[in-house]
Amino acid sequence: MIPAGINAQTKSSSIRFDKQTQVFHIDAADMSYVLGINEQKEIQALYWGKRLNAADTFGVPHSAPGLSGFDSSINTTQQEFTGWGGGQYVEPDLKITFPDGNRDLVLQYVSHIIEGDKLTIVLKDISRDVFVQLEYQVDTTTGILKRSAQVQNKTSAPLTIEQIASGTWNLPRGTDYRLRYLTGRWAGEWSLHEQIIQPGKTTLESRRGSTGAQNNPWFAIDRNGSNDQDHGDVWFGALGWSGSWQINVEQDEVQQIRVTGGPNSFDFGYRLAPGEHLQSPDFYGGYSHDGIGGASRLLHRFEISTILPHGPDPKLRPVLYNSWEATEFKVDEAGQEALAEKAASIGVERFVMDDGWFGQRSTDHAALGDWYVNPVKFPHGLKPLIDKVHSLGMDFGLWVEPEMVNPDSDLYRKHPDWALNFTGRPRSEGRNQLMLNLARPDVREYVFQFLDKMLNENDIAFLKWDYNRNWSEPGWPAVAPEDQKKVYIAYVQNLYSILEELRAKHPRVEIESCSGGGSRIDLGIMRYTDEVWPSDNTDAFDRLLIQDGFTYAYAPAVMMAWVTDSPTWVNQRTLSLEYRFLSSMQGSLGIGANLNNWKPEDFATAKKMVAQYKQIRETVQRGSLYRLISPQNGSEQSVTETVSKDQSQAVTFAFLHSSQMLYPFPRIYLRGLRPEGIYKISAIDGKLSGDIPSVASGAFWMQHGVDIELRGDFQAAAFSLEAVDR
Ligand code: DGJ
């Protein structure tokens, strides 16, 4: 079955090499990517965009002429991967310093191999035995390309890599491009920004040691003015890396657009001994002819089927309860059991105990690193609580923050050298904690062992893996000075390897990536985690904007969204329980409210909404998302629609900020239905207009549209369309 809404093609996919012209053609889904070997033996970008005809050919590639004596050909030729050398001023992919002081690197084609959906091209420096292996792997359903580069030191001396990118994405020459990107901060993640691409360079980056919220490693570029949610060319990309990173979007001197991405080159230095190699992160890139909405639908599909650990068909997210906003650090056996009973009564499927259960943890000042069960709060260990949760028909999840240590902890008292630090310098705290240096083999071992033991000894189905600060003083005094900067790579590699090993040993355990909210969400960590926490901001109105931004890059299927108390701690805003549920039901539903304060009618509402969610969750988590009315730019409304893979169900959520001047809620024009299909409309919550039929064709719902009755402030409604002709 071809999923609806992603314009997936029945077209075959292929990678072929035309020997005569020395050109590679990569065709998949609705996309073609063409590159070739020019007379300088450079790998030259020739085309990236809507799929071309199989009969289309390209001539033998020729490097571009230089502009003048000031700008030689190396700056004007669109290359796939450049070493910094010659007189190059555009952003390079690789920069190396050799022990003799030489810093010139000129890479030339050596060989290539095509294996199914994968193309590997080998490059080598003109005189030194430095090899670079470029990899391209194309996803046949979405046409999304995965690119990476591996640098191999086959010389007889160590060299230092000062910059490494996964590759350069090149777009056709033009001055009408627009860049979209995501920025944020704690409790305010996922702001969408747009800017015209001007001559010069925009750097999106994190210098924080991890992905960070300030920028997210995602971009989308379209042609300004000829583009909307569902029409027009969009080129997009996302980096699979959870350490410091950078993406440079550059319009060069001849108006060509280049996008490079990889680990951040700031404070970077990776010493590569003879015989060693360094593998870049994966940089994913895609093209959609169906506007930015089409681009995100492709990415969502790709993430679910290719990135997530259990792809192509990962499990649907269960409805979970989390104790954090209810009890904060005041967790104990009786209190958690009481919450678990209440959660089970409304249909919750997973009960998660958050922070506060371990060591001498009663505030955020102590105990991180001491991963034993607090004997006062849980005198008999976790077993009685876990058994109780199971007896209520739920599985059990637990909060951990494995990469951190409080100075007030037994672990730190024993191993002060395990924290990232520069000898003799201050150790800056964030949330009263320090970073463990996971690059150290002993720290890696400690973290793996405590988690493995905990999972061996307890029936835990889920870990909420938290990470509540960014790096400071990133020193690694235990290794030679020239190797200390390796920490930026080795830390992330060890993080991934712990997650990988844990998953292999405990295949039924699911993991959430949380970083005080959405500070570590990227396609790297998503390969090892089942869901992510977009923000600590759980205000259901703020969430509309947060969730909207999030879905530009990431799938609603992994987007955890809790229903919490009103007024919210964030804005002191009062919102009805129905509104809060509908906001959260656009992603993976969770409940984070203090159920001890709920009235019987709240339980009744929640029970009804959880049951409704279970009816539509497959569509919400697996379907194609259409942004019908965006909450961006101060919009008074927000409307999303998700259409199931087989187009037999569509679910629409509508939110009104504030009615103005007697205007009715705008008519909602649906998308993605089968025009000739027959669909029955039903309200999930709220009121449909009495003037619309209850059964009509997909064409009717898309062309005539749906009126709903929403008036007042902070109102919400949802309805579904079910196919009745199948
Ligand atoms: C930050 C997380 O985002 C919250 O949900 C909660 O788990 C706290 N940390 C606990 O310290």
Side-chain angles (χ1 to χ4, degrees):
M1 167 79 58
I2 299 166
I6 66 163
N7 209 13
Q9 307 293 306
T10 41
K11 292 174 186 170
S12 62
S13 73
S14 73
I15 303 182
R16 65 203 151 83
F17 179 60
D18 183 333
K19 267 196 184 146
Q20 220 132 49
T21 56
Q22 302 280 290
V23 171
F24 301 94
H25 295 255
I26 305 177
D27 297 309
D30 201 21
M31 185 273 340
S32 291
Y33 193 92
V34 186
L35 58 161
I37 307 160
N38 68 22
E39 82 291 352
Q40 307 283 343
K41 295 194 185 168
E42 297 161 339
I43 305 300
Q44 192 169 336
L46 299 173
Y47 177 82
W48 184 25
K50 191 163 168 54
R51 186 156 179 168
L52 303 172
N53 198 305
D56 289 328
T57 53
F58 282 70
V60 176
H62 288 292
S63 59
L67 196 57
S68 67
F70 293 98
D71 280 293
S72 58
S73 160
I74 196 170
N75 293 297
T76 51
T77 303
Q78 289 188 302
Q79 289 192 56
E80 291 285 300
F81 192 94
T82 56
W84 184 73
Q88 188 190 358
Y89 315 118
V90 291
E91 197 65 36
D93 294 288
L94 183 62
K95 182 172 184 303
I96 287 178
T97 292
F98 294 93
D100 59 359
N102 171 48
R103 303 190 308 282
D104 186 57
L105 187 71
V106 178
L107 297 170
Q108 289 186 335
Y109 169 87
V110 176
S111 64
H112 74 268
I113 175 162
I114 296 171
E115 294 160 302
D117 58 2
K118 209 197 277 179
L119 163 68
T120 306
I121 300 175
V122 178
L123 310 175
K124 184 190 165 298
D125 177 61
I126 45 173
S127 71
R128 301 191 175 215
D129 283 343
V130 176
F131 288 80
V132 179
Q133 204 165 289
L134 304 182
E135 236 176 54
Y136 298 77
Q137 186 165 7
V138 68
D139 178 56
T140 54
T141 316
T142 59
I144 290 178
L145 274 167
K146 176 173 91 174
R147 293 183 58 185
S148 67
Q150 187 186 84
V151 183
Q152 301 162 346
N153 181 5
K154 296 190 181 172
T155 72
S156 52
L159 52 83
T160 302
I161 297 175
E162 287 164 353
Q163 178 163 353
I164 178 172
S166 312
T168 299
W169 301 99
N170 294 278
L171 270 64
R173 185 183 328 226
T175 54
D176 59 345
Y177 287 106
R178 171 175 58 174
L179 169 70
R180 278 194 178 88
Y181 62 102
L182 292 161
T183 70
R185 58 179 162 77
W186 178 75
E189 298 89 340
W190 310 107
S191 300
L192 185 69
H193 296 268
E194 296 176 3
Q195 72 185 38
I196 302 300
I197 300 181
Q198 306 274 9
K201 186 165 62 187
T202 296
T203 300
L204 310 176
E205 67 170 351
S206 163
R207 297 183 177 195
R208 296 164 179 266
S210 79
T211 321
Q214 196 172 353
N215 289 157
N216 187 269
W218 168 87
F219 72 89
I221 295 173
D222 64 26
R223 288 190 183 277
N224 188 31
S226 59
N227 223 281
D228 63 22
Q229 276 291 328
D230 290 310
H231 304 97
D233 298 317
V234 179
W235 295 263
F236 56 93
L239 203 54
W241 186 241
S242 312
S244 290
W245 59 272
Q246 66 182 11
I247 293 177
N248 292 295
V249 180
E250 187 172 12
Q251 190 193 116
D252 69 17
E253 288 183 303
V254 286
Q255 301 174 331
Q256 297 169 144
I257 309 295
R258 304 161 186 256
V259 184
T260 56
N264 204 319
S265 55
F266 175 79
D267 198 35
F268 192 80
Y270 195 97
R271 208 162 78 109
L272 206 59
E276 285 185 346
H277 67 263
L278 177 63
Q279 179 72 37
S280 80
D282 295 329
F283 198 5
Y284 303 88
Y287 163 82
S288 170
H289 188 60
D290 301 317
I292 189 69
S296 27
R297 286 188 286 278
L298 284 176
L299 253 178
H300 298 169
R301 177 73 45 221
F302 178 71
E303 286 157 6
I304 291 167
S305 58
T306 310
I307 297 287
L308 291 180
H310 294 293
D313 206 10
K315 261 179 40 200
L316 292 175
R317 299 294 78 224
V319 177
L320 68 68
Y321 178 80
N322 179 289
S323 66
W324 175 244
E325 290 201 21
T327 55
E328 296 204 341
F329 301 97
K330 290 189 244 33
V331 296
D332 61 23
E333 192 178 302
Q336 293 295 299
E337 287 190 6
L339 282 172
E341 275 175 13
K342 294 186 172 93
S345 77
I346 55 173
V348 165
E349 297 157 313
R350 168 170 292 167
F351 182 85
V352 184
M353 177 162 66
D354 210 281
D355 199 349
W357 59 269
F358 55 92
Q360 299 305 308
R361 184 84 162 164
S362 53
T363 66
D364 60 14
H365 284 260
L368 286 172
D370 300 343
W371 297 106
Y372 62 87
V373 180
N374 181 291
V376 177
K377 298 177 181 185
F378 297 92
H380 314 289
L382 295 178
K383 190 165 183 331
L385 173 60
I386 296 178
D387 287 348
K388 174 77 179 183
V389 166
H390 289 165
S391 75
L392 291 164
M394 300 180 289
D395 66 24
F396 180 78
L398 193 63
W399 180 94
V400 287
E401 194 175 358
E403 299 152 82
M404 301 288 169
V405 64
N406 286 116
D408 183 3
S409 67
D410 295 341
L411 185 72
Y412 190 71
R413 283 181 280 273
K414 202 167 161 203
H415 295 292
D417 52 327
W418 280 13
L420 281 179
N421 74 92
F422 288 122
T423 307
R425 305 293 301 173
R427 299 178 178 200
S428 305
E429 294 177 19
R431 206 196 190 199
N432 312 301
Q433 62 202 50
L434 298 169
M435 301 280 322
L436 287 174
N437 181 356
L438 211 58
R440 288 177 62 118
D442 46 5
V443 174
R444 189 235 176 254
E445 204 43 28
Y446 172 78
V447 169
F448 175 78
Q449 290 302 341
F450 97 73
L451 288 165
D452 184 41
K453 182 166 180 286
M454 202 174 78
L455 295 176
N456 282 332
E457 292 174 356
N458 300 283
D459 194 349
I460 292 171
F462 171 81
L463 290 177
K464 173 176 170 180
W465 186 301
D466 209 345
Y467 178 94
N468 280 299
R469 61 160 295 177
N470 293 129
W471 293 22
S472 59
E473 297 99 14
W476 183 1
V479 298
E482 58 274 26
D483 283 326
Q484 290 203 11
K485 288 182 179 173
K486 274 188 174 171
V487 70
Y488 287 107
I489 298 286
Y491 183 109
V492 182
Q493 285 172 340
N494 278 354
L495 169 67
Y496 289 162
S497 84
I498 292 171
L499 287 163
E500 190 170 12
E501 202 176 335
L502 279 178
R503 294 200 74 105
K505 277 195 83 175
H506 307 277
R508 286 186 17 253
V509 175
E510 297 190 331
I511 302 176
E512 175 180 293
S513 173
C514 170
S515 175
S519 275
R520 190 160 63 188
I521 299 176
D522 59 78
L523 295 190
I525 200 87
M526 272 170 63
R527 284 178 297 152
Y528 305 101
T529 51
D530 305 271
E531 59 187 53
V532 299
W533 180 233
S535 180
D536 274 359
N537 184 340
T538 55
D539 178 299
F541 174 69
D542 281 7
R543 270 285 178 138
L544 297 180
L545 212 50
I546 287 173
Q547 294 178 174
D548 183 71
F550 178 95
T551 64
Y552 276 80
Y554 304 105
V558 299
M559 179 178 79
M560 294 309 298
W562 301 347
V563 174
T564 55
D565 287 319
S566 174
T568 49
W569 66 267
V570 190
N571 299 312
Q572 295 303 310
R573 181 180 285 124
T574 302
L575 296 166
S576 72
L577 188 53
E578 286 84 351
Y579 185 107
R580 284 175 272 149
F581 260 99
L582 294 180
S583 172
S584 297
M585 283 161 70
Q586 294 174 99
S588 279
L589 178 63
I591 317 273
N594 189 348
L595 303 180
N596 296 322
N597 297 337
W598 275 17
K599 302 190 185 68
E601 55 270 30
D602 296 328
F603 282 99
T605 302
K607 193 170 177 179
K608 189 186 90 194
M609 297 302 254
V610 169
Q612 299 267 31
Y613 180 71
K614 290 177 183 170
Q615 298 294 315
I616 58 168
R617 107 171 107 189
E618 179 150 8
T619 296
V620 169
Q621 295 186 19
R622 291 289 171 274
S624 297
L625 174 72
Y626 294 85
R627 301 181 190 93
L628 302 188
I629 302 180
S630 157
Q632 303 286 338
N633 305 318
S635 165
E636 288 296 321
Q637 305 90 18
S638 166
V639 182
T640 64
E641 179 203 5
T642 314
V643 182
S644 65
K645 270 184 176 179
D646 64 0
Q647 294 172 291
S648 68
Q649 186 183 57
V651 186
T652 301
F653 294 93
F655 301 87
L656 172 65
H657 178 199
S658 186
S659 290
Q660 310 275 348
M661 311 281 180
L662 276 175
Y663 285 117
F665 196 84
R667 184 168 282 187
I668 299 170
Y669 298 94
L670 299 181
R671 310 249 175 97
L673 303 174
R674 287 181 296 115
E676 72 290 356
I678 305 296
Y679 295 89
K680 183 174 180 327
I681 192 166
S682 323
I684 294 174
D685 198 71
K687 255 180 102 186
L688 300 166
S689 154
D691 296 337
I692 51 166
S694 61
V695 175
S697 68
F700 180 91
W701 300 121
M702 292 192 287
Q703 305 309 322
H704 173 277
V706 178
D707 287 323
I708 57 170
E709 294 187 0
L710 273 189
R711 261 180 213 287
D713 297 337
F714 298 112
Q715 299 296 311
F719 59 86
S720 68
L721 289 162
E722 306 280 346
V724 291
D725 58 342
R726 287 188 164 187

